[in-house]
């Protein structure tokens, strides 16, 4: 019996600017179910950080609770990490970020962790425009607790026990745009060509960068009738096997044509289309981005790619005018400038 | 690219780098696993079936398998395949009970085997259980051929040689030792149904035109003759100062033997640069370890003889230059000739075939190089009754090649004696492919990949080995070290088998593969294009790409076999078992199995 990842890597792996090969950004061997979409996202994060030449010690991973929130153990072993309480990652991230503004903050959450128990924290961290990347690995269920419907499960989607979800789903991307998030994107775990650049852009974004990534739970939400299953999608493709349909399956493949529309089968027999940001939609315009998301939704489509970005984003430190120097590095002489300085201040207040 | 045809046994065979490189295609990883399991008799028998001389080869094989070992590409040093074979041999216990048990029912056919080297002995072993009456001729007093007369005892103890030669002779072979076959014509007039020629390449190349060669002949010896004379104890001494000419393995055996016969100042002088010498790296190392300098880039010019006594030799210093085609030329560097003192000189500059005993009018055609015309697949000469193998067929090679030839020649002899077609009636290899899945994280093989570096084989103290010609230098691995070395094997015969109809394209295998073997991509017409499109471009063109049929997304799965660790993680992480680890067993069909299935 063995479940150990060999130490050997491909001998010709290229090095990034820091001289690291991609494996330097790996984490422990995943304990998630074989085929879980979350693992693909971890892999995209590893690739993104490698390509961005991130110094691992300059990055902090934060998460809540859930299969998704376990993933920080599976990437960036050489970075800082905080696995917090269920739904409370945003407050821990806020605290850390306040204390040390110089790190890159990388938050990972699930649809349960964000859209249910953590909803209160989520909306406020958006409002505050905390400088961080926030990824939701969205599988429409509570994977870790054996697959109960989450608040992002689509109305009409069937779970593993055959129960149909009666409730309207929470659309995290439109919610984020609505609340003023300054970077909002959507993607699919099976599409690294799209996801990696999005992660890289999000890490560069000065402010709150949100990526909602559809990430199938192979174990509990991969059944017939689920709107978040790959298996069902492929089975259906084979069943209908129309010529028009197959090329459209390329949404999980390498490249998209700008303005094109690609479809994934995600509903009981119905087609959900993944759109790349269409040309007439302005990613810099919140109203337009919002419309695009809502339009797509009304057609049963999921828009993926960059949805909205505000290049003029001002993060929390900027808004509350903290010192440029990280608070945790201020020494006593800077924090308590002494009696003379106090006298001067007092004199100025006379 | 077209989908890979994994039904063709040669596809997976090639993935088992060592086995593919072995001329006899010994199922290497299979026996290494048996060693790791402590099943030494079984490991020995797997070898015995394929290469006939596991104990001998475990000490002396040229090991073409080792440079081919995947481990060379993954880290640096190959698995010590050869020395693991010795572990199996050293610990085999009583294996005779596992071998075919005579007497065998006679089939009424009689075959003459000329020369008792590994080629003939292999033919004998393969044919004996079928009831052939086998007559083995050699001018020497015992069987083994060059393994006995040339390979020195400090590399191959006589007891090891005797045991393995006797395993064969005990199958009921009729031996005619001290019997030089002087005429093929005469042999053909006897009632043999077939003749196998395994007479080797017995003539050492000389330097007849070098000044002083005649005058100094008392102290100038041909390497292979001299080694033979040492082996049979006609020669027991050599001078203090010895020059060995040549850069091959024979030169290495000559210089090391000289050190044991009184040579104190022994040096090897070779024309080519050190790196291009023919000798295996380990042979060179062993010689240097015995304080024998290897002086390269020196071309012999003359023997210096004074008053009828050899004093030494002069050499011209050269350097290697290469033309655009990479062809080497040795050009003098100028300066005075170099003189080296010598009481004796051993010439080890090559070997040649010679067939003075085969009349040229007995239906066996010879080419312009005086070599018999032999079919590469059937080993049959232009006389349909006469077969060749080993060094006699295409010039000097090595023991394992002679064995591989022997197996094929035996099949031909058997087919010929049964009046069937030598080409059409040959059987394909025995192949088997079995899933190793036993449960979650549970495989039928040890899939963990260790990072241990190659273990060195301990050697006996130089003080002892240099004073006793028969004392074996290498001590062999002890069992714990043998186990650890066995664990270094990557199990390349446990194949990654892909079933596209099961794949849901979740990427789990791509993400987990430690060595970036797997890519899902659009297909490309040309292999070179596809190679460049992979997650990690596949630059090693000697290693194949495994390409699947088209998947639902119109992409294909492409696996670069180059540095796959056979760790099984792709299969472990695949939710649908689209990947499976399957044990591939490939065994060359031998004459006796061939006959059984007829
Ligand atoms: C010094 C030296 C060291 C070597 N070391 C190694 C090594 O470490 N590993 C390795 O793999 N290979 C080694 N080789 C090569 C290897 O020994 C040969 O390639 C191999 O033995 C060839 O086998 P064979 O059966 O073709 O013939 P041989 O082993 O050469 O046997 C031929 C036999 O035929 C006999 N014979 C020839 N003509 C007649 C005749 N007319 N009548 C009767 N008998 C006859 C000869 O006496 C001889 O015994 C070495 C070779 C030399 C010279
Ligand atoms: C305070 C608290 N309440 C409930 C739980 C039980 N619990 C663990 S994980 C989880 C849901 C996780 O769902 P999601 O965030 O979607 O992660 P997934 O496993 O699907 O990736 C719940 C309810 C808990 N750990 N802590
Ligand atoms: S339960 Fe679902 S979400 Fe959790 S590891 Fe398994 S597949 Fe992934
Ligand atoms: S066995 Fe699979 S995971 Fe392991 S190296 Fe080979 S292709 Fe990669
Ligand atoms: S893990 Fe299995 S199902 Fe997933 S992409 Fe690889 S082969 Fe296909
Ligand atoms: Mg979830």
């Amino acid at each position: 019996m063995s479940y150990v990842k060999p130490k050997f890597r491909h001998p010709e792996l290229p090095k990034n600017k820091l001289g690291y090969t991609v494996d330097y950004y790996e984490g422990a061997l995943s304990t998630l179910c074989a085929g879980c979409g979350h693992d693909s996202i971890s892999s995209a994060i590893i690739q993104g950080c490698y390509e961005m030449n991130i110094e691992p010690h300059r990055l902090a991973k934060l998460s809540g609770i859930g299969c998704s929130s376990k993933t920080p153990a599976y990437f960036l072993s050489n970075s800082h990490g905080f696995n917090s309480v269920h739904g409370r990652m945003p407050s821990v991230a806020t605290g850390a970020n306040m204390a040390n503004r110089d790190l890159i903050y990388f938050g990972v959450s699930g649809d349960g962790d964000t859209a249910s128990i953590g909803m209160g924290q989520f909306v406020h961290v958006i409002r505050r425009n905390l400088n961080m990347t926030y990824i939701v690995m969205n599988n429409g269920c509570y994977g870790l607790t054996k697959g109960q419907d989450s608040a992002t499960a689509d109305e009409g989607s069937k779970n593993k026990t055959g129960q149909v979800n009666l409730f309207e789903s929470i659309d995290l991307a439109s919610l984020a745009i609505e609340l003023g998030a300054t970077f909002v994107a959507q993607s699919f775990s099976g599409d690294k060509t799209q996801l990696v650049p999005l992660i890289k852009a999000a890490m560069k974004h000065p402010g709150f960068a949100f990526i909602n990534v559809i990430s199938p739970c192979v174990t509990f939400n991969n059944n017939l009738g689920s709107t978040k299953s790959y298996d069902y999608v492929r089975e259906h493709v084979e069943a209908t096997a129309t010529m028009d349909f197959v090329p459209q399956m390329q949404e999980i493949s390498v490249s998209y044509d700008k303005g094109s529309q690609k479809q994934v089968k995600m509903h009981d027999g119905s087609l959900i289309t993944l759109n790349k940001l269409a040309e007439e939609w302005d990613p810099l315009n919140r109203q337009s981005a919002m419309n695009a998301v809502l339009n797509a939704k009304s057609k049963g489509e999921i828009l993926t790619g960059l949805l909205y970005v505000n290049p003029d984003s001002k993060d929390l430190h900027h808004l509350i005018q903290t010192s440029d120097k990280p608070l945790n590095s201020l020494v006593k002489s800077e924090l308590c400038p002494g009696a003379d300085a106090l006298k001067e201040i007092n004199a100025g207040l006379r | 690219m077209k989908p890979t045809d994994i039904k063709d046994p040669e596809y997976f065979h090639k993935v088992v780098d060592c086995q593919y490189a072995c001329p006899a295609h010994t199922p290497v990883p299979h026996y290494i696993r048996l060693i790791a399991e402590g099943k030494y008799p079984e490991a020995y028998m797997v070898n015995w079936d394929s290469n006939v001389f596991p104990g001998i080869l475990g000490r002396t094989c040229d090991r073409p398998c080792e440079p081919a070992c995947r481990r060379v590409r993954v880290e640096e040093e190959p698995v010590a395949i050869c020395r693991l074979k010795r572990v199996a041999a050293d610990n085999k216990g009583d294996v005779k009970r596992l071998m075919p048990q005579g007497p065998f029912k006679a089939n009424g056919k009689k075959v003459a085997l000329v020369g008792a080297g590994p080629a003939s002995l292999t033919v004998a072993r393969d044919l004996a259980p079928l009831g052939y009456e086998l007559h083995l001729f050699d001018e020497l007093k015992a069987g083994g051929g060059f393994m006995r007369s040339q390979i020195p005892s400090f590399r191959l103890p006589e007891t090891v040689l005797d045991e393995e030669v006797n395993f064969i002779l005990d199958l009921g072979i009729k031996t005619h030792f001290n019997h030089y076959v002087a005429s093929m014509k005469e042999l053909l007039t006897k009632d043999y149904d077939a003749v196998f020629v395994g007479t080797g390449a017995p003539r050492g190349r000389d330097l007849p035109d070098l000044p002083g060669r005649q005058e100094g002949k008392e102290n100038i010896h041909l390497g292979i003759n001299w080694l033979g004379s040492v082996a049979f104890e006609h020669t027991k001494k050599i001078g203090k100062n010895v020059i060995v000419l040549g850069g091959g393995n024979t030169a290495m055996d000559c210089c090391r033997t000289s050190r044991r016969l009184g040579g104190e100042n022994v040096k090897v002088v070779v024309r080519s640069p050190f790196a291009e010498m023919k000798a295996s790296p380990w042979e060179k190392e062993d010689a240097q370890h015995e304080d024998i300098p290897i002086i390269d880039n020196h071309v012999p010019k003359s023997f210096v003889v004074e008053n009828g006594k050899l004093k030494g030799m002069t050499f011209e210093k050269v350097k290697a230059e290469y033309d655009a085609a990479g062809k080497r030329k040795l050009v003098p560097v100028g300066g005075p000739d170099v003189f080296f003192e010598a009481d004796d000189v051993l010439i080890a500059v090559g070997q040649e075939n010679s067939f003075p005993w085969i009349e040229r009018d007995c239906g066996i055609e010879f080419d312009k190089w005086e070599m018999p015309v032999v079919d590469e697949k059937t080993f049959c000469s232009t006389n349909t009754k006469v077969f060749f193998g080993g060094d006699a067929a295409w010039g000097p090679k090595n023991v394992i090649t002679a064995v591989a030839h022997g197996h094929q020649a035996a099949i031909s002899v058997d087919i010929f004696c049964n009046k069937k077609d030598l080409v059409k009636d040959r059987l394909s290899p025995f192949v088997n492919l079995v899933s190793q899945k036993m449960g979650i994280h549970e495989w039928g093989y040890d899939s963990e990949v260790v990072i241990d570096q190659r273990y060195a084989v301990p050697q006996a103290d130089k003080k002892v080995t240099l004073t006793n010609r028969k004392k074996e230098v290498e001590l062999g691995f002890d069992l714990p070290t043998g186990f650890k070395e066995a664990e270094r094997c990557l199990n390349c015969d446990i194949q990654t088998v892909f079933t596209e109809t099961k794949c849901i394209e979740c990427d789990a295998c791509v993400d987990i593969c430690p060595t970036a073997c797997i890519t899902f991509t659009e297909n490309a017409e040309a292999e070179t294009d596809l190679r460049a499109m992979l997650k990690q471009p596949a630059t090693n063109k000697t290693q194949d790409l495994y390409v699947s049929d088209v998947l639902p997304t119109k992409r294909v799965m492409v696996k670069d076999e180059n540095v796959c660790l056979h760790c099984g993680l792709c299969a472990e992480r695949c939710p649908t078992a689209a990947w499976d680890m399957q044990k591939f067993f490939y065994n060359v069909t031998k004459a006796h199995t061939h006959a059984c299935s007829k």
Side-chain angles (χ1 to χ4, degrees):
Chain A
M1 134 144 204
S2 90
Y3 188 47
V4 188
K5 187 158 176 173
K7 293 267 184 324
F8 293 125
R9 294 294 175 269
H10 197 293
E12 290 163 24
L13 285 185
K15 290 193 166 114
N16 68 7
K17 284 207 179 108
L18 298 174
Y20 299 132
T21 46
V22 68
D23 54 301
Y24 191 66
Y25 296 87
E26 288 174 3
L29 191 52
S30 171
T31 59
L32 301 185
C33 306
C36 177
H38 298 355
D39 280 335
S40 281
I41 303 173
S42 295
S43 174
I45 294 169
I46 291 168
Q47 187 65 27
C49 290
Y50 158 78
E51 288 178 16
M52 292 282 284
N53 305 299
I54 304 275
E55 294 175 280
H57 70 281
R58 306 289 312 139
L59 185 145
K61 312 170 281 186
L62 304 126
S63 65
I65 296 290
C67 296
S68 34
S69 294
K70 281 171 73 179
T71 59
Y74 315 135
F75 57 82
L76 303 178
S77 283
N78 297 309
S79 294
H80 309 280
F82 199 116
N83 191 196
S84 79
V85 190
H86 204 13
R88 269 61 178 176
M89 178 263 277
S91 51
V92 175
T94 307
N97 190 318
M98 284 299 95
N100 183 0
R101 62 186 298 170
D102 273 1
L103 294 185
I104 297 165
Y105 290 92
F106 204 102
V108 172
S109 179
D111 42 327
D113 197 61
T114 291
S116 293
I117 195 167
M119 188 54 111
Q121 301 228 337
F122 179 62
V123 296
H124 290 287
V125 77
I126 294 176
R127 273 182 66 237
R128 289 170 184 153
N129 200 23
L130 189 71
N131 186 10
M132 75 179 296
T133 299
Y134 191 115
I135 286 190
V136 168
M137 300 182 172
N138 189 345
N139 54 15
C141 70
Y142 298 173
L144 191 69
T145 53
K146 296 202 180 304
Q148 300 83 353
D149 286 345
S150 77
T152 65
D154 291 313
E155 188 191 340
S157 180
K158 231 186 230 170
N159 71 16
K160 204 180 180 180
T161 62
Q163 290 288 312
V164 173
N165 178 38
L166 305 174
F167 308 106
E168 185 63 43
S169 68
I170 294 176
D171 186 84
L172 290 172
S174 43
L175 182 70
I177 297 171
E178 156 71 25
L179 291 171
T182 48
F183 178 111
V184 180
Q186 244 171 190
S187 194
F188 172 50
S189 66
D191 182 9
K192 289 203 194 66
T193 5
Q194 182 192 57
L195 185 51
V196 173
L198 281 177
I199 290 171
K200 287 159 72 177
M203 284 196 292
K204 273 270 185 234
H205 177 72
F208 190 78
F210 177 65
I211 313 177
N212 181 40
V213 189
I214 312 290
S215 173
C217 169
V218 281
T219 302
F220 297 113
N221 205 2
N222 196 32
N223 50 283
L224 209 68
S226 159
T227 59
K228 297 212 164 46
S229 100
Y230 358 63
D231 239 12
Y232 182 76
V233 175
R234 311 267 187 243
E235 274 164 29
H236 196 83
V237 172
E238 282 170 9
T240 56
T242 65
M243 278 308 290
D244 309 313
F245 194 77
V246 181
Q248 291 174 321
M249 296 294 292
Q250 284 173 345
E251 86 298 312
I252 26 89
S253 84
V254 206
S255 53
Y256 297 89
D257 304 323
K258 213 174 171 194
S260 69
Q261 176 197 74
K262 320 275 173 173
Q263 298 172 310
V264 180
K265 199 90 180 192
M266 298 199 91
H267 230 295
D268 38 299
S270 67
L271 270 178
I272 291 187
T273 304
L274 292 182
N275 271 317
K276 297 298 114 179
L277 185 64
E279 267 168 310
E280 63 270 25
W281 295 334
D282 180 3
L284 302 176
N285 184 314
R286 212 167 131 190
Q287 183 75 52
S288 156
M290 195 68 187
N291 287 344
V293 177
L294 292 179
N295 277 341
K297 210 184 167 192
S298 66
K299 286 190 267 168
E301 298 169 350
I302 298 174
L303 259 189
T304 70
L306 180 64
L307 302 177
Y308 172 67
V309 62
N310 174 2
D312 299 326
S313 159
K314 306 229 169 353
D315 87 319
L316 180 56
H317 281 286
H318 192 274
L319 295 174
I320 62 175
Q321 296 183 2
T322 56
S323 95
D324 287 345
K325 205 170 167 195
L327 296 182
N328 70 341
S329 64
L330 294 180
V331 292
K332 193 172 168 195
S333 60
E334 288 165 315
L335 289 168
C336 308
D340 289 349
L342 182 63
K343 257 188 210 154
E344 244 178 69
I345 291 167
N346 285 339
L349 294 174
R350 281 217 178 139
Chain B
M1 278 178 78
K2 288 217 184 74
T4 303
D5 178 17
I6 59 165
K7 291 233 159 61
D8 175 0
E10 291 310 312
Y11 180 76
F12 283 145
H13 185 202
K14 197 170 165 209
V15 174
V16 196
D17 298 285
C18 47
Q19 181 176 16
Y20 191 71
C22 173
H25 304 310
T26 305
V28 174
H30 180 56
Y31 82 69
I32 291 183
R33 273 191 304 276
L34 289 171
I35 292 170
E37 290 165 25
K39 294 181 175 161
Y40 309 111
E42 289 87 342
Y44 183 86
M45 289 309 291
V46 168
N47 275 288
W48 193 75
D49 175 62
S50 291
N51 54 52
V52 190
F53 304 104
I56 296 169
L57 288 166
R59 291 165 166 85
T60 65
C61 189
D62 260 1
R63 3 171 167 160
C65 54
E66 290 193 13
C69 174
R70 180 173 301 263
R71 199 100 191 169
V72 175
R73 306 194 294 272
V74 171
E75 44 147 315
E76 208 182 323
E77 288 288 337
V79 174
I81 299 169
C82 181
R83 287 345 185 217
L84 284 172
K85 196 190 308 294
R86 174 171 172 182
V87 171
D90 285 355
N91 298 283
K92 64 184 180 305
D94 173 22
V95 285
K96 214 166 166 184
R97 67 197 160 88
L98 303 171
M99 295 176 177
Q101 306 292 320
F104 306 103
K105 197 167 155 267
N107 70 359
K109 304 263 157 63
K110 222 171 130 178
V111 179
L113 309 167
V114 190
S120 289
L121 287 169
T122 300
V123 177
R125 191 209 67 172
D126 285 4
L127 291 182
L130 299 175
Y132 283 90
E133 186 180 316
L134 300 158
H135 292 265
L136 182 67
F137 298 90
D138 202 299
E139 60 177 313
L140 300 176
K141 64 175 183 188
F146 269 18
M147 301 188 298
R148 188 177 297 278
S149 66
Q150 297 295 311
I151 304 182
S153 307
F154 58 82
R155 287 207 288 126
L156 173 60
E158 228 172 292
T159 47
V160 176
L161 176 66
D162 286 342
E163 182 182 34
E164 291 189 335
V165 169
N166 288 340
F167 282 152
I168 299 168
L169 301 186
D170 290 352
L171 297 172
I173 313 299
K174 304 210 177 336
T175 57
H176 308 267
F177 293 141
N178 296 312
H179 183 135
Y180 181 74
V181 177
S183 164
M184 175 61 99
K185 244 182 181 168
E186 194 194 322
L187 195 64
L188 290 173
T189 60
K190 307 256 169 76
D191 58 345
Y192 294 110
D193 295 282
V195 173
F196 175 78
V197 180
T199 51
R203 193 155 72 190
R205 219 172 259 152
D206 203 345
L207 298 168
D209 302 330
L210 222 55
R213 174 70 182 88
Q214 269 312 308
E215 296 85 322
K217 67 174 187 239
E218 283 306 303
N219 295 91
I220 301 170
H221 321 274
L222 281 186
I224 66 168
N225 297 356
W226 182 79
L227 284 171
S229 154
V230 173
F232 293 107
E233 309 202 314
H234 307 310
T235 296
K236 297 199 166 118
K237 274 208 328 278
I238 197 160
K240 279 207 173 79
N241 299 310
V242 181
I243 294 177
V244 176
L245 300 176
N249 288 341
T250 306
M252 298 304 115
D253 281 341
C254 284
C255 66
R256 296 181 68 195
T257 304
S258 300
R259 285 287 278 135
R260 287 156 172 82
L261 262 59
E264 283 169 14
N265 170 22
V266 180
K267 55 172 77 67
V268 172
V269 187
V270 53
R271 303 166 74 222
S272 61
F274 184 82
E276 291 173 26
M277 286 168 60
K278 288 222 182 80
S280 324
W282 55 89
E283 302 264 0
K284 295 197 272 188
E285 259 167 48
D286 286 343
Q288 289 172 317
H289 176 70
E290 291 174 359
D291 314 311
I292 300 165
I294 297 177
I295 298 163
D296 64 350
N297 294 320
H298 278 64
V299 176
K301 271 191 95 171
S302 68
F303 297 96
V304 179
V305 186
E306 281 171 20
N307 306 324
K309 178 97 184 72
L310 182 75
K311 289 285 163 199
M313 287 189 73
T314 57
F315 296 88
E316 180 174 47
K317 283 181 83 171
V318 294
K319 65 171 191 244
E321 277 179 6
Y322 304 86
D323 65 14
K327 199 164 180 289
R328 191 186 76 188
K329 220 171 72 194
L330 295 175
V331 288
V333 292
D337 286 349
V338 184
F339 173 79
F340 293 125
E341 230 184 311
D343 303 318
D344 285 285
V345 173
L346 299 174
I347 304 179
V349 297
Q351 262 170 271
E352 282 163 357
N353 290 77
S354 96
F355 300 96
W357 60 282
I358 302 183
E359 295 81 356
R360 297 306 190 253
D361 59 352
C362 55
I364 302 169
E365 202 181 309
F366 281 74
D367 63 17
K368 59 177 173 192
W369 297 283
E370 286 294 299
M371 288 295 284
V373 176
V374 180
D375 184 89
E376 279 182 36
K377 215 173 159 159
T378 65
F379 295 82
C380 189
S381 72
T382 51
N383 180 330
T384 53
K385 208 177 165 175
V386 182
F387 300 83
F388 282 74
D391 289 357
W394 295 285
K397 298 266 160 39
N398 48 37
V399 174
I400 188 66
T401 305
V403 168
H405 291 179
H407 287 312
Q408 293 308 317
I411 289 177
S412 292
V413 168
D414 186 40
I415 294 177
F416 175 75
C417 290
N418 284 290
K419 304 202 167 31
K420 296 201 173 176
D421 189 291
L422 288 190
V423 178
K424 281 195 227 117
D425 291 319
R426 286 187 113 71
L427 290 189
S428 26
F430 175 87
V431 231
N432 197 4
L433 195 60
V434 185
S435 176
Q436 297 297 294
K437 184 92 183 158
M438 290 176 73
I440 296 175
H441 308 333
E442 197 95 43
W443 297 102
Y445 74 108
D446 196 351
S447 59
E448 200 178 322
V449 175
V450 299
I451 55 169
D452 298 26
Q453 309 231 299
R454 183 179 170 115
Y455 291 89
V457 179
Q459 298 200 340
D461 190 348
K462 214 157 62 173
K463 280 198 210 89
V464 182
T465 59
L466 286 182
T467 49
N468 179 357
R469 177 176 72 83
K470 297 198 171 177
K471 173 74 190 157
E472 188 173 15
V473 172
E474 285 197 6
L475 300 172
F477 285 130
D478 57 22
L479 290 183
T481 317
F483 172 77
K484 282 191 274 181
E485 185 62 33
E487 286 290 284
R488 292 182 71 241
C489 172
L490 294 169
N491 301 291
C492 302
D493 59 338
I494 313 290
Q495 305 286 349
T496 55
V497 181
F498 183 74
T499 311
E500 50 267 313
T501 50
K502 287 186 183 170
C503 176
I504 59 167
E505 297 178 66
C506 70
D507 265 8
C509 53
V510 178
D511 295 335
I512 198 69
C513 178
T515 43
C517 304
I518 304 168
T519 307
F520 286 81
T521 173
E522 278 165 28
N523 205 340
E525 285 280 320
E527 179 171 338
T528 28
D529 294 340
L530 196 55
R531 282 180 175 273
M533 282 156 63
L534 303 188
K535 183 176 177 190
Q536 180 61 41
T539 53
N540 183 352
K541 299 224 169 76
T542 65
Q543 291 285 319
D544 287 340
L545 298 183
Y546 181 177
V547 183
S548 79
D549 219 327
V550 184
L551 292 156
T553 57
K554 286 280 182 202
R555 300 179 302 172
V556 287
M557 184 291 301
V558 185
K559 183 195 166 206
D560 177 9
E561 298 283 7
N562 187 22
V563 288
C564 169
L565 304 170
H566 297 260
C567 65
L569 284 185
C570 49
E572 205 142 299
R573 296 304 287 166
C574 178
T576 64
W579 281 112
D580 191 23
M581 303 307 290
Q582 300 188 3
K583 182 173 161 181
F584 175 72
F585 185 72
Y586 178 108
N587 202 9
V588 174
T589 301
K590 318 287 177 332
H592 52 281
T593 32
H594 203 271
C596 295
S597 37
K598 276 203 286 241

